[in-house]
Amino acid sequence: MFVLKNVGKLIFGSSSQESMIELPQGQLYLVRPLSPKGYSELIFKDATARIRRTGQDYQYQLVVQRVYEEGEAELADEEGEDEELNALAAEKDEKTFLLDEALHFRVESREGSQKVLAWKDLSGDVGDVYEFVCDPSTKSAQVEAFERIARQCQYERKYRKPHSTASEADLQQFDFEEQPIPQASPIHSPTLARSIESSDAMFQLKNEANVGARRDSTPSTASVLAEPAPEPLKEKKVNTPVKQPGPPNPPAQPEPLEIFAMEIGELHFFDFPSGAFVLQDPSVTAQVSDVGNWNYWLHIASKDRQWLGIPIIADINPVFNFEFLSFIFNQFTEDGSAYSWLLRFKDGKTLERFQDGLMRALWEQLNEVKWTKVKEQDRQYVLDAFEDLNMEDAPIEEEEEEEPEVEEEPEDDAPQSEHYDSDEEEEDVETGPKDPYTNSALAVGYKHDRSFVVRGPKIGVFKHTPKNHLEFTTNISKVETPKGASFVPKKVMLHNEDRNLILQNDTDPNKLYRMDLEYGKVVDEWNVHDDIPVVTFGPENKFAQMTHEPTFLGISKNALFRVDPRLSGNKLVDSQLKQYVSKNDFSAISTTEKGYVAVASNKGDIRLFDRLGINAKTVIPALGEPIIGLDVSADGRWVLATCRTYLLLIDALQKSGKNEGKLGFEKPFAADSKPQPRRLALTPEHVAQFHHETGKGVSFTPARFNTSKDKGETSIITATGPYIIDWNLDKVLRGSKAPYIIKRYEDTVRADDFKFGTDENVIVTLPNWVNMVGKQHLKRPTRESIAGDFQRLSTPRRSSGRVSTRQSGRYKLGKDEVVNSPY
């Protein structure tokens, strides 16, 4: 008789991890036909395999869990008296795999009615495969049902709809039976007989597979997992691997009015299962053309096939890499699919001509202004921003080391009750909000360890604990004007040593309000100006909220000004008003420690001022997309702008000329000089995978540097959809590929910011949830991290569900550490 040592069920619950089907007994092997580590490893001598649901729609897991003989589990508990060690050991008792077509999950029947389940080890070497060898007592009907449900789960994940809509032909695409399953070693691991010829052939296939992940190769037509012993008297059957569905047929091509660029190159397509660009055509013609009314078209075709036709818009996410002579971009189709393509050209001159044509088309489409009217230095600025190049004065590049494995506290994402009693029962748990509102804005304290989250006409106050968690403190239940009119704050800013909160009512943009946080009520209503509505506002300097500085800055669509609450009547300081006749459409403002001011616009340009009331010292040209967020490093060296599909990091330090060593805030750049831009975007491959997971394109929240009085900026935080993204500034400046780490949540991230004084902790606000997450919970973008790890999602816990101690790396978060925000 066997029993499951299911510690995970005790800790995390099981209602959101419902098992759909189970094979009760078998053995789990990891087979490495091509690896010098050893041919086969027995993972679990006795195990059960099941398919279970996750907390996310259309996401399922294949789970293999160790089974203990009766008495063995109790013995293990006695030997491991430390609860922390028990919790760590529990992870080794279960292997979990996201059911995705990349696993190539398949079933094989062998002699003696033996049934074997197999799937790829996506984190292992080429050819590595997991095998679950069913116990002989397992009935064929059970295995067949298991296989069918696995196909249905893969269908749902791929197409984001119930499997009931799938035909037999639809499910057949998840049949990978043409790939033979290598024999797993039996328990006692007898020696394996292999001919020299077959071993050499397998290593040759491994090399071919590795080369196939590079730019100029195609997938091998032979199966990597061929049977080790050849049959010389029989003709070998060559198996062709099942490919993912290719890109759609291109639409009808519009008639070009003018051709901007036409070049010959190689066309590669990003293959999701292999995670590599695969050559599709060694010779195609890529054409960029104007099709009228500020619309532009990219057309790629060879002499015998029309490959691609897409409009040139910001969502194609263009990246030019001159080191590899390549242009990478995205394609989005009407059915919601996303693809990633790569064009490789023969030399740098060819790529440069193509880049000029494509960037001209993109810039004109975004700005509706002819490229020929742009100044030469501004054109070069735009081109530099879209190149994959290193910044000057970047840190000396050292060989990158693997990030050390950090002992993580398991993060519990379960919803929580808003009742903070000491003996919570399951019946007491409220997993949904009571009100119709959702969280919308976040303000993080500098002077005091507090964060403030806006939820409709309410504000939740959260304390930052010494253990870097959030603890609900109080709820300001009614935000209303001094006259008693309730309103929902559009924008909030901490002020006067974090004692006040400046609020803006979206329905009355000419007024601002001061909330006294000690009393939790609005005490002042300020009329800024009768004729100048406030678009947004910001502190007088980077750390003004830590001081008693009474004034702050504001912008309207075409004006920059100071607000002084001490004035009688209108609070705008007339002597420090800079108003433009033209409509600049200002959208964001930020300041440095010295009080230098950066102002951005929906046109995409940025102005740098050393003080108010005068013309800007420097105007940074627009790339085309509106700027929705702006931040500046404390010393003024780095300007960080947020657009919908990318971030823009600009070096404001002048490197040459009479103003060498001065910032663009202090002195203007010379006519023949310019700031050096760096466009920060997700790689097109990751954009396609994000879209594949969420069905939505990239839309960043305003990005921010980490902030500290004592240390410089080292990281940038932003979010798109359910992902938070942390950019490593040193890696960005070195030009590292994908210099960011990510974490996926169940819902859209509404606001995010670093805890003051560190880049190791991020405060994240979802529609109905608030949390402080440690950087160790963010991972490099891989198939697994992009898909998200939802195996820990469950019903809320009881207080008895904790394991180990607060100091333990495996301590279970309590209700004072993860906060549900419907206060």
Side-chain angles (χ1 to χ4, degrees), residues 505-518:
N505 183 357
D506 197 23
T507 61
D508 194 353
N510 296 74
K511 291 184 172 64
L512 296 175
Y513 301 89
R514 180 176 73 91
M515 172 178 281
D516 188 323
L517 292 174
E518 293 183 7

Side-chain angles (χ1 to χ4, degrees), residues 347-448:
D347 53 40
K349 291 289 185 183
T350 306
L351 176 58
E352 190 173 327
R353 289 194 302 269
F354 183 81
Q355 181 196 38
D356 287 343
L358 188 124
M359 291 311 303
R360 173 185 173 183
L362 181 60
W363 196 90
E364 289 187 7
Q365 190 274 329
L366 290 169
N367 294 277
E368 297 190 358
V369 175
K370 284 296 181 182
W371 183 247
T372 51
K373 295 184 178 180
V374 181
K375 296 178 182 178
E376 180 60 35
Q377 60 264 36
D378 290 353
R379 287 191 211 172
Q380 192 57 49
Y381 170 86
V382 173
L383 296 177
D384 287 348
F386 282 84
E387 282 184 24
D388 211 358
L389 42 77
N390 295 354
M391 303 285 276
E392 294 179 21
D393 294 347
I396 298 175
E397 184 166 3
E398 300 175 359
E399 186 174 341
E400 288 195 26
E401 299 179 358
E402 287 290 322
E403 295 181 5
E405 289 292 327
V406 181
E407 192 71 23
E408 296 183 14
E409 286 187 4
E411 188 187 23
D412 194 337
D413 294 345
Q416 235 186 322
S417 170
E418 65 180 359
H419 301 300
Y420 289 84
D421 56 312
S422 60
D423 187 21
E424 186 180 78
E425 295 295 334
E426 284 192 33
E427 298 80 35
D428 177 52
V429 172
E430 297 163 2
T431 60
K434 287 182 176 180
D435 55 57
Y437 301 103
T438 57
N439 299 331
S440 59
L442 169 69
V444 177
Y446 286 9
K447 183 74 173 181
H448 306 292

